[in-house]
Amino acid sequence: MAKKTTFWQGWLVDNPLTEDPNDFTLKVKAGNMVTTEDIAKALQAEGTEFQLETLVDILNRGDRIIRNKLLAGFSVGTGVFYAYPSVSGVWRDKNETFDEKKHKVGVNFQLSAALREGVKEVGVEVLGISSAGPEISGVTDTWTGELNGVITPDEVVSVKGRNIQIAGENEGNGIRFIRVDDNSVVAVDMRRLTVNNPSALSFRVPKLAPGDYYLEVTTQFSSSNSVLKQSRTSRFEKVLNVPEPEEQN
């Protein structure tokens, strides 16, 4: 067994897959998401002579090349991951053609050898049961059925979690989408909130532009059925994507 040199901290949260009140999963207490600019600054800190703007441009170019190679059907290997083009679904007949309703194009990722070995040195420190604050566990796009991925503007999403009911009169309470690349905020019209209870929300997605978004919920709801003085905010840990609209034939 590898010696543990790094420890991830995490809180125990209710296991959404069972009814057992004493059954938990662990939510890692992760830091803020590291961006391309953060990586460029880390490279500068290691002593590179390149300017920050140059490093960001190089990293963005590298990302673009990786994307284009994958889209062209190549596998890609880096010091962090291996990525492989994949198509899922079943062909019932040898003459059957690709059907987007039954088959799905995607990319599978595998840890690189260096990262896989590094993970062996990670231990876990359990901080206890998570506080009673709001916690988002999953987002389902009801138009496509996709979980924790694509969301469709002007269609309904279903959000599962704990203590996520929107309650209280404090300014800022509500639901919002935050664009990853520029931190612009689009609030959800509360008139479009059709389900609002401690474990589930259902609402119509605003007319978001294509791109990647965080989902945040801010509420004064308390598990003791009282309204807190201070609002609390939960940001869903997974990034949600609004795709480019399909061209009409």
Side-chain angles (χ1 to χ4, degrees), residues 188-208:
V188 172
D189 186 343
M190 289 295 97
R191 294 174 299 178
R192 305 301 184 187
L193 180 63
T194 55
V195 175
N196 184 27
N197 63 52
S199 61
L201 302 173
S202 185
F203 56 87
R204 190 173 295 276
V205 176
K207 296 183 183 299
L208 301 174

Side-chain angles (χ1 to χ4, degrees), residues 75-86:
S75 297
V76 174
T78 72
V80 178
F81 62 81
Y82 297 101
Y84 308 92
S86 70

Side-chain angles (χ1 to χ4, degrees), residues 136-162:
I136 301 171
S137 59
V139 178
T140 300
D141 184 290
T142 60
W143 180 255
T144 63
E146 184 158 343
L147 175 65
N148 301 336
V150 168
I151 54 174
T152 307
D154 213 27
E155 297 294 341
V156 174
V157 293
S158 175
V159 179
K160 299 297 184 182
R162 180 174 56 85

